[in-house]
Amino acid sequence: MTASSIRRTTAKSRIAAVGAIAVAGALILTGCGDQTDDSKETPKNGDGSKAAAPLADKLPKEIKDSGVIRVGSDIAYPPIEFKDDSGKTVGVDPDLAAAMGKQLGVEFKFENGTFDTLLTGLRSDRYDIAMSAMTDNKDRQNGIDSETGKKVGEGVDFVDYLSAGVSIYTKAGDDKGIKGWEDLCGKKIAVQRNTVSHDLAKAQAKECGDKKLTIESFDNDQQAQTRVRAGGADAGSADFPVAVYAVETSGGGKDFQLVGDQVEAAPYGIAVAKDQAQLRDALKAALDAIVKSGEYDKILSKWGVEQGKLDEITINGGK
């Protein structure tokens, strides 16, 4: 991919909506434990017995019997998933998972991990699914390393549920002349490892020639933000909802600014192992149900990401 091939989409109209999240009191925290409990319980009847879940029979028997879907997630990516002041896991993904859980009669239990290990954890059966603002693309579907082009695994299926692009941000009032990806040549950028931002930075670096683009990659996006905030990098890049949230909340909205337009809009997907088609289809059915009920729209609006709404829940819709 060259810099000139990057698809651009207008970003500005969503900033105010995401800024409303800060008013709701959701703040970025840096500490994450090894495992979290989103405290979402399966619905119960008035007598305390488990309420009927309309889509429970669509689940594989072992998951239905256990009552739990283990979710691998990098819980440091607000507003998609992060910890609030009380240490509770909150955000777009936990809310969608809780709504899906009511349909399926199970608890989605979020377990924290670094983003670049989530698919490995899925392959090793540590997790049942990975739900972590993960962009659905053909390389991940086919188990291909995007940098080397080599096969590294059997790949995964995705149940797509949101669309988002990628943005660049800098320190507020100091954009270093950066207006877009081509302006990063000769600069230093901080990104989260193995994300689309990381891929785009590596692609841009190949176009820079002697005017080298230096890339610093981190386990999570908050570490990348810290690097930019401290002046150790000229710019950072993250998915658009995350970048906007950082701009609106970090330092009371005084730390960062967005530069240029978001690029490479693509779907986020829930990753499921290739041999778990029944679970994949159950998740799609649950998402279809909350779309139909209107709960999907309410959750996206709550977190200011309603412009990422998909018109249809799809499987493997990424390119």
Side-chain angles (χ1 to χ4, degrees):
M1 180 186 303
T2 64
S4 61
S5 72
I6 294 174
R7 300 189 300 275
R8 286 169 166 75
T9 50
T10 301
K12 296 176 183 177
S13 61
R14 292 172 61 188
I15 295 178
V18 178
I21 300 169
V23 178
L27 301 176
I28 299 175
L29 299 181
T30 56
C32 288
D34 291 333
Q35 182 167 312
T36 65
D37 184 347
D38 66 359
S39 301
K40 303 296 183 181
E41 296 183 355
T42 303
K44 290 181 169 53
N45 295 312
D47 61 1
S49 61
K50 187 182 293 185
L55 301 178
D57 288 341
K58 290 186 174 292
L59 286 169
K61 185 178 185 303
E62 62 272 19
I63 289 181
K64 181 180 177 182
D65 289 347
S66 73
V68 172
I69 291 178
R70 300 165 299 162
V71 185
S73 188
D74 175 16
I75 309 172
Y77 211 55
I80 308 301
E81 51 260 316
F82 63 108
K83 287 188 176 184
D84 67 11
D85 288 325
S86 69
K88 179 182 177 181
T89 301
V90 297
V92 178
D93 284 357
D95 279 1
L96 288 174
M100 294 163 63
K102 293 175 184 177
Q103 295 291 325
L104 296 167
V106 294
E107 174 193 357
F108 284 67
K109 189 171 185 180
F110 280 71
E111 301 183 11
N112 193 40
T114 55
F115 186 81
D116 58 349
T117 65
L118 296 182
L119 293 185
T120 302
L122 192 62
R123 287 195 293 269
S124 66
D125 197 37
R126 178 178 178 182
Y127 314 124
D128 298 308
I129 64 174
M131 189 175 187
S132 190
M134 186 173 290
T135 301
D136 172 8
N137 58 43
K138 292 300 182 185
D139 283 347
R140 286 174 175 155
Q141 291 172 25
N142 297 321
I144 302 296
D145 183 290
S146 59
E147 186 170 8
T148 66
K150 294 181 179 179
K151 185 85 168 174
V152 293
E154 64 272 27
V156 295
D157 286 332
F158 285 99
V159 184
D160 299 331
Y161 63 95
L162 192 70
S163 179
V166 175
S167 291
I168 300 171
Y169 61 91
T170 67
K171 290 184 71 173
D174 187 18
D175 65 13
K176 306 288 187 183
I178 299 168
K179 307 299 182 185
W181 287 87
E182 62 276 6
D183 299 320
L184 290 170
C185 297
K187 305 289 197 306
K188 183 184 292 185
I189 188 169
V191 296
Q192 182 174 359
R193 191 174 297 112
N194 285 4
T195 59
V196 174
S197 290
H198 195 186
D199 290 343
L200 289 176
K202 288 185 286 189
Q204 180 60 53
K206 293 178 181 178
E207 300 297 314
C208 288
D210 293 336
K211 203 174 180 182
K212 183 180 178 182
L213 166 58
T214 301
I215 303 168
E216 292 192 349
S217 60
F218 297 87
D219 286 342
N220 62 59
D221 190 66
Q222 291 178 357
Q223 292 171 351
Q225 289 179 27
T226 297
R227 187 67 167 158
V228 177
R229 190 184 297 111
D234 300 302
S237 177
D239 290 354
F240 178 72
V242 177
V244 172
Y245 187 90
V247 167
E248 292 292 335
T249 61
S250 181
K254 297 179 180 179
D255 285 347
F256 301 125
Q257 65 184 39
L258 290 181
V259 294
D261 293 329
Q262 64 168 319
V263 302
E264 294 293 296
Y268 285 168
I270 303 172
V272 187
K274 288 286 189 183
D275 61 357
Q276 293 294 321
Q278 185 178 357
L279 174 57
R280 177 200 67 198
D281 293 346
L283 295 172
K284 182 182 183 301
L287 279 167
D288 284 337
I290 66 173
V291 167
K292 184 176 181 180
S293 72
E295 194 162 6
Y296 173 78
D297 287 348
K298 291 178 182 177
I299 291 168
L300 300 196
S301 179
K302 170 185 173 181
W303 293 104
V305 297
E306 60 270 31
Q307 289 195 23
K309 173 184 175 179
L310 293 182
D311 294 331
E312 181 183 5
I313 302 301
T314 57
I315 293 174
N316 294 334
K319 297 179 180 179

